Structures are given as structure tokens and as C-alpha cells.
Amino acid sequence: MREFNVALAAPEWILSATILVVLFQDARTRWDNKGGLGRTTWLGLLLATGCAMLQGWFVDTPATAFLGHYGVDGFSIVCKAIFGATALFVMAMADTWLKRVDRGHGEFRLLALMATLGMFFVCSVRDFAGLFVSLELITVSFYCLTAFKRNDERAIEAGIKYVVLGALATAFLLLGIAFIYGATESLWFHKIALTEASDGVGGNAALLEFGLLLTVLGLCFKIAAVPFQVWTPDVYEGAASPVTAFLSMGSKAAGFVLLLKVVRACLGPDGDAGIILATGAWAGLFALIAAATMLYGNLGALWQGNMKRLLGYSSIGHAGYVLMGVLAFNEAGFAAVVYYLMAYLFTVLGVFAVVIIVNGALRSHAITDYAGLGRKSPFLALVLTCGLLSLAGVPPMAGFFGKFLVFQAVVQLGTPVAYTVAFVGAAGVVVSMYYYLCVVKQLYMVEAPEGDTRLDGLVVAKPLKAVLWVCLIGIFVLGFLVQPFVAMAQDAAEALMAAR
Amino acid sequence: MIGIFFWLFAALLTVSGLLAITRRNAVSAALWAAVSFIAIAGIFVLLQAYFLAVVEVLVYAGAIMVLFLFVIMLLNLREEDLQVLEGPRLHILGVLLAAGFLGGLVWTCRRAGLYDAKNGAIKMTAESVGETKSLAAPLFMEYVLPFEIASFLLLAAIVGAVLITKKRLT
């Protein structure tokens, strides 16, 4: 238990080495010869992701390293696979997108790699010190990535908004951790449950509850949930499209992984609701956040004419659905969250891949400009349609089963609060159907204006085409062949519940 | 005796913190912030965390404050360039949120019995708590992983700073 055992962190070592190699390679190559950086990045990401997945077979889980501060279990392996796939997809999008940008290739790849490193650490941290630094590693990388197009006013505005709100959320998170440290006298996640058990009333419990409240609010910034959701549409619109894609999947999933770990730490050692979470107030608080997030996201999306702003609001709405899985406070709910994230990965990255291709031709994100895409480029329109229907939760798609599991977990609780939040969620799904279908209508039912040839003859680069196919297949596989993936999510949730 | 000094530093911290966020002039705001850092250092001394107190003064009140002032001087903002966030509604909302937060804090401390003198006393686990050793040993043994992640955090910040500020990226 108390050993350094550094070899266990092999995926992170590979990523760290890749970062250093790219750093020196960038310094040693001329500006017009940056292709090698891309190859190094791809190799590093593939090796790290492969290594993380192989640990599922070759490591006797759960295992710990760094005196127990770093852990590998079924949950962390599944999450690392999700983050690795996200980074690979985003890198494929960035390869295409960077061709339109004549500077900063090395910096882009470095920052993306460092954000990925943070996401890998997020899966394995077992204490609040690790939680904080790995989360900040992701956030700081994204501050810079958001402002990447620094000649673009909207990108700068997005960057500043993200930094200011991010700093506020970090302050909440830090103060929360300080209170938890004061109550438990340690930074370990698992000490929370022990403190709850030792003095359930008064004294430290009050400090612990206040600290947890602040920590959860701080994490709400990462997952784009109320009350820290306001940055989302502006940042999504201002940032470059691959960055937005990375934000909407990687950054959000990292927030949820940590939220799951913190909530798990509050449950008792046997997975029963801990003394603090057993009080109705906490279920009520999570329900309130989830309901407000779903309403804000889905109602806000109704009036959007810009594709990326629409996806920003829709991403807020999805944070609300995933929160429903968290607030179940049990294994079924956590499994639903993991499955939802897997489905969301293929869905949202497929949509963003199309957005990047279309934007390359249009130089615009207006939804009205998507008119006629169905006739001019049927494959792109098909991927976009399937992605949007999956986001909406239409049955044969991956998104439907994500939503199904989440709603099932909540309804099974059987409390009035759970029914209310499920009802709000169902209403949100209905509303979201409208604005997703409006985009689909634009693709197929509306003709492009006469003489507008911008969408004619779209050429899709090979890596991006691969992303499109993988996402399309993923959307249907996770919709039809549900069982193995649900089993995987359940194993991950089980490992999370068994974590000490 | 220590109690008197605690209240002295606490009052100084509160007042200078409030002044730092209410001054229109950026230079005086930064200087009040420096005063608040010194007050924090004083409280660290009372907690026998001497090393932290020194670092607080050296790094925050010293290095970071110089950096702040340097940037403010470079920007050279005039009074009329500064826009005021318009609208009393925003102000009222901000005050309400701050009051709610303060209320929650006070209520929590009351529930936890921190105002009670015997509960409020801070437990000193070791004699040498204020020395560098008590900081260094956990940093390089127990918390070596977060320490290493922090080094990548700094690298990310450096790369990002280059990306955003460098005139010509080639």
C-alpha cells in the first residue's frame, strides 16, 4: 500500500515524455516543417491510451502508487480510455484545423497534451491535493487554448471570461478543500467517510458539509452546471472549434470524474449513503442544481442562431442530465454517468468534426448557412443528423441509452425530489428535440441560396474522415449493442464503489 | 497577549482587503492588497508557521506585488479610461451574494462550535511545525505526485504565456 511503485503510472510517464519531446522538437524545427510534431503527438497519445487500457488486463487492480496517492482501478482505466479517445479525436480535428493556422502549432499540441495529462491524473488521484493540481493543469491549459486565436476579438473575450470565472470557481474549490482539511485533518478522499462515521452530529460535520458544498460548487464550473455555467456559450463560440470540442467532452468529463470521486468519498465504506448525504438537503441541492442546469441549457438553446452557441447551451443541458445520475448516490447512478460519458464522446465529437469541416468552407457558424448540406454532402449531413438525434436522445442512438439509464437510476430512488427532477429532465428532452430538429430541417428541407457554392465539393481530410466514421459507428454500436458497454460501465462503477 | 495581536491582524486584514477591492485607482488597490498580505503573514506568525510567514512576505507582498505594480504602470490607465460596472442591480446582487456567503460561513462556524474557546484552539501536532523541514518532508515524500503535476502546471503556464504574448510565433 505505502510504496512508490512508480511504474504503475506508465501512461502518465509516456504522456510526460511526449510533452518534453514535443517541446524540444518544436524548438529545433523550422516554422514550415512542423509535421514531425504531429507524428510525435499521435505516437505519444496512442501509446499512453494503449498502455492505460492494457493495465486493465495486466495490473492486479486495485493497485496504488506514490504512497497510495495514485490509484489504478476499473473506474480509472475506463475513464482514461475515454479521455485518451477524446484526445485522439481532437488531435485528428486539430490536424485539419491547424492547416488553416500558420503559427503556434507546437504550442497548440503541447497545451492539448498537457490538458490530456491532467485528465489522466484526474482519473487516478486519491486525495484533494492531487485533485486540485490535476484540475488546474487542465484548466490552465484550456485558458491558453481558448485564447489561441489571439488576433480574434471573440477568442480574447472568451479567454478573459474563462479566466475570470475560472479563478472564482478555483477560489471556491480551494476554500472548500481547506474546510474539508480542517474537518478531517487530512487530504485523503476516504477520510471524509471516516470523519462522518466518527462524529455525525455537530462539530466537524458542519465544517465538512460547508467544505463539500464549496467543493461541489467549484466543480460545477468544470462541468458547466448552474451556478457557474454562464461562461459556456461565449467560450464555446469564441474558442477555435477543436478547442471547443475538447472542452465540451474532455474538460466536462474530468469534472464529472472528480465529482463522482468526491461523492463516492462521502458515502459510507460499504456504499450506503453516508451520514451527510443521507440527509435530504444534499439530494435536494443536487436535484436543484441538475434541474436548474437542464432548464437553463435547454431553454437558452431555443433562440440560438449560431451552431457553436447552440452546442454550448446544449452542453449545459447535458451536464444537467449527467448530474441526475450523480444525485442517485448509488452504483446504478454512477454506472449511468459512465455510460452517458461514453455515448457523449462519440456523439458530441462527431458533431464537432462536421462543424469544423463546414466552418472550413463557410467561415461562419450560422445555422442558416448549413442549408442544403444534405444534398451537397450527404455523408456529412448524415453524421451531423445522427449526432444531433443522439444528443436529443432518439431511440436507436447512443444518447438514448445514456438518458434511459440516468432516468432509470433517478426514478428508482422513488422520492418526490427524484420524481420532480426526472420530470424536469423529461421536459428538457422534449424542448431539446425542437432545437436539434430545427438544425436537421435546415440540412434537408431548406435549399442553399442561389449562387452559394461554398459548400460544394467539400474535401474531408483522411484523419477527420476516420473520426467521422468512428463516431457514426460508435453512435449506433452504443445504441444497438448496449449490453457489453453497460457491463463495462457497471464494472467501472463497481470499482469506484469498492475504492477505499 | 496573542489574542490581542490576532484581533489586530484580523482587523487589518479585513479593512485592507475591503479597501483593495473598493479603490478606483489600481495602484492604491494593489498597495492595500500588499497590506493585507502582510496581515496574513502576521497571522501565520501567531500560528507558529514562521516559514510560511516569511514566504508570504517575500513572494506575495514582495515579488508578486512588484509584478502587479509593474503591469499597472505599463498599462498606464487614466481615471477616465476606467469604466464603472453600471447598474445598481448588479451591485445589489453582488452584495446579496456576498452577504449570503458570509452568513453561511458564520453559521457553519457557529454550528462547528469554533467560537467556543476550547474547540477553537488549534491543535499543534509537532513542535517543529514552523520549520522548513515540516514543509519539505511532505512535499517530497507524501505529496511528491501533486508536486510533480504542479511542475507541468507551470510548464503549461509558460507555454501559454509565450503563445499569447510573443509577437511573432514561428
Side-chain angles (χ1 to χ4, degrees), chain A residues 265-281:
Chain A
C266 301
L267 302 176
D270 303 322
D272 48 336
I275 291 147
I276 286 179
L277 289 180
T279 58

Side-chain angles (χ1 to χ4, degrees), chain A residues 82-97:
Chain A
I82 292 178
F83 288 126
T86 309
L88 284 168
F89 286 3
V90 168
M91 216 35 89
M93 297 182 202
D95 274 350
T96 309
W97 178 78

Side-chain angles (χ1 to χ4, degrees), chain B residues 98-126:
Chain B
F101 186 74
L102 189 67
L105 207 58
V106 170
W107 186 60
T108 302
C109 293
R110 186 164 286 272
R111 265 178 75 205
L114 286 191
Y115 296 135
D116 206 348
K118 67 175 191 299
N119 290 338
I122 288 133
K123 287 175 219 157
M124 288 290 172
T125 45

Side-chain angles (χ1 to χ4, degrees), chain B residues 44-57:
Chain B
F44 278 147
V45 170
L46 296 184
L47 294 172
Q48 299 177 16
Y50 305 115
F51 179 71
L52 272 188
V54 173
V55 168
E56 180 81 24
V57 172

Side-chain angles (χ1 to χ4, degrees), chain A residues 202-268:
Chain A
N204 287 340
L207 294 179
L208 190 56
E209 266 190 83
F210 195 63
L212 283 172
L213 175 68
L214 294 179
T215 309
V216 169
L217 288 182
L219 287 175
C220 279
F221 169 77
K222 293 306 296 175
I223 61 176
V226 171
F228 284 116
Q229 85 293 10
V230 279
W231 57 274
T232 318
D234 292 330
V235 171
Y236 275 38
E237 188 193 355
S241 300
V243 177
T244 312
F246 207 7
L247 259 181
S248 69
M249 181 59 213
S251 179
K252 189 186 285 281
F256 273 113
V257 168
L258 287 180
L259 193 60
L260 283 183
K261 285 190 177 220
V262 172
V263 168
R264 161 66 191 95
C266 301
L267 302 176

Side-chain angles (χ1 to χ4, degrees), chain A residues 2 4 16 31 67 69 103 107 114 121 136-137 140 144 148 150 175 179 185 187 203 206 209-210 214, chain B residues 101 104-105 108 111-112 123 141-146 149 152-153 156 159-160 163-167 169-170:
Chain A
R2 302 280 296 170
F4 273 103
S16 314
W31 63 274
L67 302 176
H69 291 268
R103 56 166 197 90
E107 283 82 357
M114 283 192 267
F121 274 124
E136 281 305 290
L137 178 56
V140 168
C144 309
F148 184 79
R150 62 171 190 199
L175 194 58
F179 268 94
E185 293 177 35
L187 289 168
E209 266 190 83
F210 195 63
L214 294 179
Chain B
F101 186 74
L105 207 58
T108 302
R111 265 178 75 205
K123 287 175 219 157
M141 287 294 292
E142 192 74 34
Y143 294 105
V144 70
L145 182 68
I149 304 176
F152 272 101
L153 179 62
V159 171
L163 174 73
I164 292 170
T165 55
K166 198 176 164 195
K167 269 224 173 66
L169 278 173
T170 51

